[in-house]
Amino acid sequence: MEDAAQSVDEEISESPSEEGDPAPASEPLEEDPGLDELDAAAAPDAVLPYAKPQQSAQSSRVETCSEPDEEGRAACVQQVSADSIPQSATAMTADTARAGVAPPQWCEDSKGKVVGIRKAVCLVGGIDYTTKQRVNGVWRETGRAKLLYISYSYGDSGLGTIGHQIEVAAYDGWGDALNRGSVKGSASKGGACKVSESKFPKKPLMPKNSWRLGESFFDTTIHTAGTKGKCKSTWTLTFQAPGYSDALLPVSFNEFRCDNATAGRPEVGCVVPWYPSILWYSQSSYPDLASHVKRAQASGLPGGSFKRPLTRTTDAQIIRDNRQKACGDAPSIQGKSCDEYPIATSKQGLSAGGTRRTFSGCDLPNIPTGSGPKGASACMINASDNNAQGGLNTQFFRSERMLEGDPFQIRIS
């Protein structure tokens, strides 16, 4: 088990286990604060973004101002709340000449909150940049620019490189800040990575609704087998106007974890660990398995949604306990074997408490039916379905780089 006190920015040793399922976090993931509940019947290839759990909506932050010069001129900048961002931001689709990686459509749902998938995260926010001058002890605003920014970061489960781009567009304003203002950026790192490339040249804020792009790439410093670490990527935006001091604003992500600790994958890769990826079981290919999972989830057991995911565990004792307590006394029936749900490689099995339940047609007459969020269900299913399940689970955990404590879902296609 991992030491919860260990800094996420340090390399952490972890034994890669070939077996494993998920386990729940110490606190349940809060309800998706920014997106509608997604259809449980969504296709396996659908992109299903999710708002990061346990985050607060972005609110107005303290304004940061430069020191006034000899003539009393200064500049200020601050992030503003999501409520102040235009509902229909023309900048999201403006400027067809934009470069970089086009942010996905679901970025539009990320106003004021981090939204992501397993390999990408996005945040749309607002910025106020103002110029002002102090005359006879009284401050007078000389200009204001209202801006939209899209911070988008992406990685790959088979690569040790993370991209982080930021786009800034002014959509309203007046005076020196808007008409004479410009923006540039510099990238910096925190944690287990290094900046390999960055570029955000100085560009004017005008014309309105045109993107100013910064691109950066970060290489992980995680290489030793069995280790992992997070990479914090930061863009520091510098707003300038002739005759005024610079105003600086940092925009950061600390969402990607890179590891060389995934069983069956000797290479390094980087993912968003809080995103509950979906493990799909095909109804047509594995009808007995799918039927059991559907009935188990319908009875109240977790794992079928973003709001109530399972949590992966690689703890061999927990896995054994989950299997033994659910299926240790299963009868011998030709062509069938005992299946447990939640799967044994999750922390939500019977090792976490609760009682067994079963369903009609499961050939376990000594186990009662039941309902509720705790416990586990057991059912005798087609042995070929059950045998295939192990391979499906293993491939899923490898492809998604699911480590101890990561959330995930199981759905039926």
Side-chain angles (χ1 to χ4, degrees), residues 166-236:
I166 190 162
E167 297 178 85
V168 181
Y171 62 86
D172 198 6
W174 60 278
D176 289 347
L178 177 66
N179 298 316
R180 303 176 66 199
S182 63
V183 64
K184 64 180 181 179
S186 61
S188 60
K189 69 89 179 179
C193 60
K194 59 184 179 180
V195 180
S196 60
E197 182 182 345
S198 79
K199 183 180 181 181
F200 193 154
K202 181 178 177 178
K203 295 284 186 180
L205 298 183
M206 289 291 284
K208 291 189 288 187
N209 297 325
S210 57
W211 288 113
R212 305 313 184 201
L213 172 71
E215 292 182 283
S216 60
F217 296 93
F218 299 77
D219 290 339
T220 183
T221 55
I222 295 295
H223 300 295
T224 306
T227 60
K228 65 181 183 178
K230 292 188 77 175
C231 176
K232 181 178 181 180
S233 57
T234 299
W235 272 109
T236 298

Side-chain angles (χ1 to χ4, degrees), residues 129-149:
Y129 168 54
T130 58
T131 53
K132 57 185 180 178
Q133 185 173 21
R134 186 169 59 191
V135 180
N136 297 325
V138 178
W139 283 106
R140 179 178 66 89
E141 195 168 283
T142 60
R144 178 179 292 268
K146 293 181 176 294
L147 305 107
L148 179 76
Y149 75 85

Side-chain angles (χ1 to χ4, degrees), residues 24-59:
S26 56
E27 296 182 4
L29 300 180
E30 66 180 19
E31 292 189 0
D32 182 342
L35 303 176
D36 294 333
E37 178 66 17
L38 296 164
D39 188 350
D45 58 352
V47 177
L48 304 179
Y50 178 58
K52 181 181 179 180
Q54 300 172 345
Q55 65 172 319
S56 300
Q58 188 184 74
S59 58

Side-chain angles (χ1 to χ4, degrees), residues 322-330 338 356:
N322 285 339
R323 288 179 174 147
Q324 179 63 29
K325 290 177 179 179
C327 290
D329 59 354
C338 184
R356 283 195 299 179

